[in-house]
Structures are given as structure tokens and as C-alpha cells.
């Protein structure tokens, strides 16, 4: 049975082996359970990380950038 993430973004999961697919889906599900709804870009970046296409450092940088952008950017300098 496919997850809601696989149903929403099937192209992101195309060609992945079962282990990588399951790992990405589990991570996205954990994120959702923690209260943050994953985006397609979250899934794309997790797949890239799991496949070794990006480093963990790059994954964290991208995630932090998305979080900052979703909050209207870093406003700490304005305080």
C-alpha cells in the first residue's frame, strides 16, 4: 500500500528501492506526527540525502532555509 506522500508526489519516489522508499516515507510520517506538514521539497531533499546526492550538511542547510522562508526570513537582526 502506498503512503499519502507517495500518492501526492509519485514522481519523487520513482525508481527508489524499497529500503530508501520506506525510509523516506517513515521520516515524512514522523515529521507530520510531530506537527509539521511535509512539503514536496522536503520529500525531494530527503530522497537526495538517502541516495547520497547531497550531504547531511546540505540537507540541513536547505531545511533551515525553507523554515526561515516560511517564517518570513530571518528577522533576528531587526530586533
Amino acid at each position: 500500500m502506498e503512503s499519502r506522500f507517495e500518492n501526492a508526489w509519485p514522481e519523487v519516489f520513482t525508481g527508489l528501492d524499497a529500503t530508501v522508499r520506506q525510509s523516506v516515507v517513515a521520516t515524512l510520517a514522523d515529521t507530520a506526527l510531530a506537527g509539521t506538514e511535509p512539503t514536496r521539497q522536503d520529500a525531494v531533499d530527503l530522497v537526495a540525502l538517502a541516495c547520497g546526492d547531497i550531504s547531511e550538511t546540505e540537507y540541513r542547510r536547505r531545511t533551515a532555509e525553507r523554515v526561515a522562508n516560511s517564517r518570513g526570513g530571518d528577522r533576528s537582526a531587526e530586533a
Side-chain angles (χ1 to χ4, degrees), residues 10-54:
E11 71 285 357
V12 174
F13 296 89
T14 300
L16 297 181
D17 68 36
T19 302
V20 172
R21 180 184 293 260
Q22 183 178 15
S23 176
V24 171
V25 167
T27 302
L28 293 170
D30 287 347
T31 300
L33 286 173
T36 302
E37 189 57 32
T39 66
R40 181 185 182 283
Q41 193 59 50
D42 293 325
V44 167
D45 288 345
L46 276 171
V47 167
L49 176 64
C51 292
D53 295 333
I54 62 172

Side-chain angles (χ1 to χ4, degrees), residues 1-11 13 21 25:
M1 178 165 58
E2 289 188 346
S3 72
R4 67 183 176 106
F5 308 111
E6 292 167 292
N7 287 329
W9 313 302
E11 71 285 357
F13 296 89
R21 180 184 293 260
V25 167

